[in-house]
Amino acid sequence: MASVSTVSAILSGHATPDPSDVLSMFALPGRVALVTGGVRGIGLEIALAYAEAGATVYCLDLPAHPSEDFIKVQAHVAALPALSIGILKGAKRRLEYTSCDVTHQKEMWAVVERIAEKEGRIDVCLCNAGVLHAADVLEYPAEDWQKIHDVNINGVLFTAQAAGRQMVKRNTRGSIITVASISGHCTNQGMQWTAYNTSKAAVLQMTRSLACELAPKGIRVNSISPGYVYTGMTKEFLSKNPTLDGKWRAQNPTGRLANPEELRGAALFLASDASSYCNGSDILVDGGHCAW
Ligand SMILES: NC(=O)c1ccc[n+]([C@@H]2O[C@H](COP(=O)([O-])OP(=O)(O)OC[C@H]3O[C@@H](n4cnc5c(N)ncnc54)[C@H](O)[C@@H]3O)[C@@H](O)[C@H]2O)c1
């Protein structure tokens, strides 16, 4: 935990006059983070936020080689000037890419072990990779149902296992964050997403179970539940149905969808010391969708 000028530190005469103190609680200097599904969308946006906060970030995703968009963001991070003040002084910011499939348990364990051996630690893991498929519930093909659950449930578990094993091995007080959804809290009106909704409810419960079992090992586990966000995942549905954007906007009191960067704050909070007493929590970032 970064040293901060708390009220008790001030009253006992141990506070230091550093105006950036409260912000330092959100910094990730020298930390190593993993982000699955990190080649695009919400994953890439949060990976960038973690790198800006001082971390070395490994994005794990399916393509053998990262996309042009990823390479541009990677170059941006590499060009960030070294900070010379405060808690980020001298912090190296780096974005790396590794190809892997979250549904392969042993592959995930091996990939993350290699990263931990190279970097010496794993501090943060965002289990973000996910897939979405629509089908009439009475006709839902077994193989599509299975595919959704392989990625969205098994993949989250295998990623959390891979990171947690390295955190325990290296005695790191780590933070694991799963990406659930409003779809784990309520049913998306008008959408035939039973498999997806079921998988996200499972992620919420898995997060609480992981949090309880891993807390004695010094690892916190929390989830983020986004509302509708403009990414490749939602574009697939929005581009086929021109009235859908308006319908989704009307379903939350804020009256709009989110952009991926609006997930940064919650993701950084949960990764950092700022959330040191959060465990088994879920943060809804949904414009109030579930408040209605
Ligand atoms: N976009 C939204 O409106 C929204 C809302 C709530 C929750 N979410 C969740 O946020 C997460 C990110 O979604 P997004 O909108 O950025 O979607 P996206 O489709 O843009 O990105 C998902 C990424 O996951 C990767 N992926 C899929 N299967 C994988 C596998 N087997 N192994 C490794 N990587 C795999 C994909 O290649 C892709 O890069 C998902 O878990 C999604 O369910 C999204």
Side-chain angles (χ1 to χ4, degrees), residues 16-132:
T16 50
D18 180 351
S20 69
D21 260 359
V22 75
L23 297 181
S24 71
M25 294 174 73
F26 293 84
L28 304 173
R31 310 231 180 135
V32 177
L34 309 172
V35 176
T36 63
V39 84
R40 69 179 209 182
I42 292 169
L44 182 55
E45 190 66 54
I46 293 176
L48 172 60
Y50 287 169
E52 285 177 5
T56 294
V57 187
Y58 279 77
C59 292
L60 314 179
D61 210 313
L62 288 175
H65 303 288
S67 60
E68 275 183 32
D69 286 356
F70 178 91
I71 289 166
K72 274 187 196 157
V73 176
Q74 186 180 42
H76 170 87
V77 169
L80 286 173
L83 291 169
S84 57
I85 51 160
I87 193 163
L88 286 175
K89 188 170 180 180
K92 293 188 181 71
R93 280 88 65 87
R94 189 155 49 90
L95 213 53
E96 301 281 357
Y97 180 76
T98 302
S99 170
C100 63
D101 186 333
V102 295
T103 65
H104 297 159
Q105 184 185 43
K106 292 293 165 61
E107 180 191 345
M108 287 305 290
W109 291 11
V111 162
V112 174
E113 185 168 27
R114 277 201 298 279
I115 295 170
E117 274 166 10
K118 186 170 171 222
E119 303 295 340
R121 57 193 301 138
I122 302 289
D123 299 274
V124 175
C125 176
L126 185 84
C127 310
N128 166 75
V131 289
L132 174 61

Side-chain angles (χ1 to χ4, degrees), residues 36-44 60-63 100-104 108 127-132 147 150-152 156 179-183 196 200 224-234 248 257 260:
T36 63
V39 84
R40 69 179 209 182
I42 292 169
L44 182 55
L60 314 179
D61 210 313
L62 288 175
C100 63
D101 186 333
V102 295
T103 65
H104 297 159
M108 287 305 290
C127 310
N128 166 75
V131 289
L132 174 61
K147 167 89 194 299
D150 274 349
V151 178
N152 294 9
V156 168
V179 178
S181 171
I182 51 169
S183 309
Y196 181 80
K200 291 301 182 178
I224 299 174
S225 286
Y228 291 112
V229 188
Y230 289 117
T231 65
M233 183 178 274
T234 44
W248 284 357
L257 277 66

Side-chain angles (χ1 to χ4, degrees):
M1 162 83 88
S3 81
V4 291
S5 290
T6 57
V7 170
S8 64
I10 292 166
L11 298 183
S12 63
H14 292 107
T16 50
D18 180 351
S20 69
D21 260 359
V22 75
L23 297 181
S24 71
M25 294 174 73
F26 293 84
L28 304 173
R31 310 231 180 135
V32 177
L34 309 172
V35 176
T36 63
V39 84
R40 69 179 209 182
I42 292 169
L44 182 55
E45 190 66 54
I46 293 176
L48 172 60
Y50 287 169
E52 285 177 5
T56 294
V57 187
Y58 279 77
C59 292
L60 314 179
D61 210 313
L62 288 175
H65 303 288
S67 60
E68 275 183 32
D69 286 356
F70 178 91
I71 289 166
K72 274 187 196 157
V73 176
Q74 186 180 42
H76 170 87
V77 169
L80 286 173
L83 291 169
S84 57
I85 51 160
I87 193 163
L88 286 175
K89 188 170 180 180
K92 293 188 181 71
R93 280 88 65 87
R94 189 155 49 90
L95 213 53
E96 301 281 357
Y97 180 76
T98 302
S99 170
C100 63
D101 186 333
V102 295
T103 65
H104 297 159
Q105 184 185 43
K106 292 293 165 61
E107 180 191 345
M108 287 305 290
W109 291 11
V111 162
V112 174
E113 185 168 27
R114 277 201 298 279
I115 295 170
E117 274 166 10
K118 186 170 171 222
E119 303 295 340
R121 57 193 301 138
I122 302 289
D123 299 274
V124 175
C125 176
L126 185 84
C127 310
N128 166 75
V131 289
L132 174 61
H133 175 80
D136 177 340
V137 71
L138 298 183
E139 307 294 333
Y140 218 112
E143 56 275 18
D144 293 342
W145 179 271
Q146 190 62 53
K147 167 89 194 299
I148 296 260
H149 293 166
D150 274 349
V151 178
N152 294 9
I153 305 176
N154 301 358
V156 168
L157 176 71
F158 300 158
T159 304
Q161 286 178 324
R165 288 161 61 88
Q166 297 308 316
M167 290 168 181
V168 170
K169 187 173 171 185
R170 286 152 214 281
N171 213 9
T172 308
R173 299 189 72 78
S175 172
I176 297 174
I177 302 142
T178 62
V179 178
S181 171
I182 51 169
S183 309
H185 292 265
C186 60
T187 298
N188 302 71
Q189 201 181 342
M191 309 309 295
Q192 296 178 310
W193 290 354
T194 307
Y196 181 80
N197 299 350
T198 306
S199 74
K200 291 301 182 178
V203 170
L204 289 171
Q205 182 57 14
M206 191 199 308
T207 302
R208 289 187 282 262
S209 297
L210 287 166
C212 295
E213 205 171 323
L214 296 181
K217 299 180 193 298
I219 300 169
R220 299 182 296 110
V221 189
N222 297 284
S223 57
I224 299 174
S225 286
Y228 291 112
V229 188
Y230 289 117
T231 65
M233 183 178 274
T234 44
K235 192 175 172 189
E236 199 188 318
F237 291 87
L238 292 167
S239 58
K240 283 183 199 149
N241 183 347
T243 64
L244 196 54
D245 189 83
K247 284 183 187 158
W248 284 357
R249 283 167 185 265
Q251 287 170 14
N252 75 67
T254 310
R256 64 178 179 84
L257 277 66
N259 290 309
E261 59 267 27
E262 295 182 278
L263 275 308
R264 286 171 150 235
L268 185 56
F269 169 67
L270 290 177
S272 68
D273 295 344
S275 62
S276 57
Y277 199 55
C278 284
N279 193 32
S281 312
D282 178 64
I283 302 183
L284 278 161
V285 185
D286 68 347
H289 185 105
C290 291
W292 263 357

